[in-house]
Amino acid sequence: MLQIMKPMAIKYLALSFAGLCASLATPVWAQSAATNYRFDLSGAKPKAGFTAVGTSKNYNNDYGFDMGTASQVIMRKGHSSSFVTSNKPFYFSAAVPEGNYKVTLTLGDAEGPTQTTVKAESRRLMVENFATKPNESKKVSFIVNIRMPQIANGEMVKLKPRENGKLDWDNKLTLEFAGNSAVSAIEIEKVDNQITVYLAGNSTVVDQDDEPWAAWGQMIPRFFKPGVAIANHAESGLTLGSFIGSKRLEKVMSLIKPGDYLFIEFGHNDQKEKGPNDGAYKSYTERLKLFVMQAREHKANPVIVTSTARRSFDAEGKTVNTLGDYPAAARKVAQELNVPLIDLNQMVTKFYDALGVENSKKALVHYPANTFPGQDKALEDNTHFNPYGAYELAKCIVEGIKTNNLGLKKYLVDTKTFDPSKPDPIESFNWPLSPKNSAIKPDGN
């Protein structure tokens, strides 16, 4: 028998259906985790609103010490509270949806001085040598961008096999602590009001997972205070065309907001394309213009970055251009479309010339056999940078931001002028090695 629903029941069903529709509008992968956490690592009764985390708490699709490092973390009594520390790098993760997150750490309070370096996700440098005095407790905040391969329209970024399992693409926010660290609290808060700088590029830009490889894109977060998030979508071996073909540009455009930035650096791998329509002033120029136009369609700010120079010297010890017309083509597109240009190629050339033929090896992956575990052969790579070289290149990008008077410059935390022809001495650079290393050269070498 047909029953007539009461008005209240109809209203309830309507609200339930509306709620279901709203739920379905947000992909399941974006709903599955909390967006705010406050962890107390002091071992004492946690403050109101904080969750106590002991040293035995392993990450298990929620939060905790990660990557098998819980067993090495120890609790120590500080001046006014306790803290966790380790004599090796250790990891802490929390499951979060895609987005930008403000991370605030409470560090120090030890009987002696502490010095902490923090990397996020795939070795992004967030905090460098943060120091506290004996019995001093201090807070430091930074922004971590979290992304996943899913695109809002149901498509997926086509990841390379080497990207599977990469911390940059998983469903958690991971922090790596190194140095003489003392950590008593970790706060994670989703923030939607950040200017996001999207990076499109290749192996000279990407977040390199393993020591001793590095790129400027994973060093640049260290130079920004909260207000700016760095979303590094670069990957080794990519061209402008394969960045499009693997749906990375589509992914970026699904997220980019008015006022955001798109930094574009390609050329190394585009140079190797030999089809009838390929070339610096053909497909490279056309695709570069496409990236610019798509960013502008979303009311975002494109910035063209010329390719890093390879380490190659002539008989007189001066750097030789091995990239043909590609740097010039990028400059031409920037001029034609009135796009800010960061001439990294020119700055890296000055950097190599200043270091010289032999010393320039110290900025790239040149290491004798057995420098790293399992590395039984010498590494000699004149394209890819080590952490020192990548850090110096990030300083070049910072100079380009200031020279172009980009709105981002007010968020910089280090505004001292950097001259690539007067690089920092490598002896002054301190980079605590991450646990993972690899002798396999990045794609596109």
Side-chain angles (χ1 to χ4, degrees):
M1 185 171 102
L2 182 64
Q3 293 183 332
I4 307 282
M5 289 187 183
K6 293 180 181 180
M8 184 61 72
I10 294 173
K11 181 179 179 181
Y12 174 79
L13 281 176
L15 289 172
S16 299
F17 182 72
L20 176 63
C21 290
S23 173
L24 291 175
T26 303
V28 173
W29 52 267
Q31 307 172 37
S32 57
T35 58
N36 294 280
Y37 292 99
R38 300 170 83 189
F39 299 115
D40 188 321
L41 281 65
S42 70
K45 182 179 179 181
K47 295 179 290 185
F50 280 73
T51 299
V53 180
T55 56
S56 62
K57 177 65 176 82
N58 284 287
Y59 178 81
N60 185 23
N61 296 319
D62 50 4
Y63 59 85
F65 296 99
D66 205 358
M67 313 288 282
T69 59
S71 60
Q72 70 193 45
V73 177
I74 59 174
M75 184 82 66
R76 284 192 178 150
K77 181 65 179 173
H79 174 65
S80 59
S81 67
S82 297
F83 56 85
V84 297
T85 187
S86 174
N87 59 4
K88 299 177 182 178
F90 64 95
Y91 294 84
F92 189 94
S93 295
V96 295
E98 188 170 72
N100 293 323
Y101 291 83
K102 181 180 180 181
V103 177
T104 301
L105 306 175
T106 304
L107 303 172
D109 199 35
E111 292 182 359
T114 71
Q115 185 169 287
T116 305
T117 292
V118 182
K119 303 169 195 173
E121 299 292 278
S122 295
R123 294 169 64 238
R124 302 176 203 163
L125 182 61
M126 312 307 297
V127 176
E128 180 188 13
N129 302 328
F130 186 85
T132 64
K133 299 173 184 176
N135 303 324
E136 178 186 38
S137 178
K138 293 167 67 175
K139 290 191 174 188
V140 61
S141 296
F142 49 88
I143 304 297
V144 179
N145 174 265
I146 298 297
R147 69 173 187 266
M148 298 177 191
Q150 295 86 351
I151 305 174
N153 62 6
E155 297 283 348
M156 295 273 289
V157 174
K158 297 177 182 177
L159 300 181
K160 293 187 171 190
R162 69 183 294 159
E163 292 180 273
N164 293 322
K166 189 173 182 177
L167 294 173
D168 273 351
W169 287 112
D170 64 15
N171 60 350
K172 60 186 177 181
L173 188 160
T174 300
L175 303 172
E176 177 190 338
F177 294 90
N180 175 29
S181 58
V183 189
S184 56
I186 301 173
E187 300 172 63
I188 299 171
E189 174 192 6
K190 193 170 190 296
V191 285
D192 298 321
N193 59 347
Q194 304 297 292
I195 298 169
T196 304
V197 179
Y198 292 89
L199 306 183
N202 52 36
S203 57
T204 63
V205 186
V206 69
D207 294 342
Q208 295 284 4
D209 256 5
D210 304 322
E211 302 288 357
W213 316 92
W216 67 258
Q218 68 195 107
M219 300 296 178
I220 201 74
R222 170 258 182 266
F223 296 95
F224 285 99
K225 60 187 175 183
V228 168
I230 304 296
N232 192 350
H233 286 253
E235 178 51 39
S236 297
L238 294 185
T239 63
L240 285 163
S242 57
F243 193 91
I244 296 169
S246 56
K247 298 188 180 296
R248 295 169 202 264
L249 183 60
E250 187 176 339
K251 173 69 175 180
V252 170
M253 291 303 135
S254 74
L255 299 170
I256 204 164
K257 311 181 306 296
D260 286 346
Y261 287 78
L262 176 63
F263 280 46
I264 313 157
E265 190 225 297
F266 290 92
H268 280 261
N269 303 307
D270 306 73
Q271 182 187 30
K272 301 166 191 173
E273 296 180 329
K274 301 300 181 184
N277 295 315
D278 291 322
Y281 294 107
K282 292 184 178 180
S283 62
Y284 179 76
T285 291
E286 291 165 3
R287 289 166 180 160
L288 200 49
K289 289 180 177 180
L290 174 66
F291 276 59
V292 169
M293 300 311 291
Q294 287 210 13
R296 285 177 169 170
E297 284 173 8
H298 288 80
K299 295 181 170 55
N301 304 294
V303 177
I304 292 175
V305 182
T306 55
S307 303
T308 59
R310 295 188 183 95
R311 179 185 167 274
S312 181
F313 293 90
D314 63 18
E316 282 72 47
K318 291 295 182 182
T319 303
V320 175
N321 173 34
T322 65
L323 285 155
D325 290 332
Y326 283 82
R331 296 179 191 114
K332 188 171 186 288
V333 172
Q335 184 177 31
E336 286 180 359
L337 299 184
N338 194 27
V339 177
L341 175 78
I342 297 178
D343 202 339
L344 187 58
N345 182 271
Q346 187 180 73
M347 287 189 276
V348 176
T349 298
K350 291 180 180 179
F351 176 58
Y352 288 154
D353 285 346
L355 290 174
V357 176
E358 282 304 310
N359 270 340
S360 59
K361 293 178 182 178
K362 296 177 181 178
L364 292 109
V365 178
H366 277 255
Y367 295 95
N370 303 311
T371 303
F372 300 93
Q375 177 221 336
D376 57 359
K377 296 180 181 178
L379 291 171
E380 297 178 356
D381 190 314
N382 292 312
T383 298
H384 298 108
F385 299 89
N386 62 19
Y388 164 72
Y391 188 90
E392 297 296 279
L393 265 63
K395 284 192 167 186
C396 291
I397 297 294
V398 168
E399 281 305 305
I401 289 169
K402 292 189 290 185
T403 301
N404 282 283
N405 199 29
L406 302 182
L408 296 171
K409 72 176 187 179
K410 68 179 181 180
Y411 296 98
L412 292 170
V413 295
D414 188 348
T415 56
K416 288 191 297 184
T417 300
F418 176 71
D419 182 351
S421 65
K422 298 176 182 177
D424 300 317
I426 191 169
E427 295 76 19
S428 67
F429 180 69
N430 177 40
W431 174 264
L433 292 174
S434 296
K436 286 177 60 185
N437 67 276
S438 174
I440 300 174
K441 294 183 177 183
D443 291 349
N445 188 68

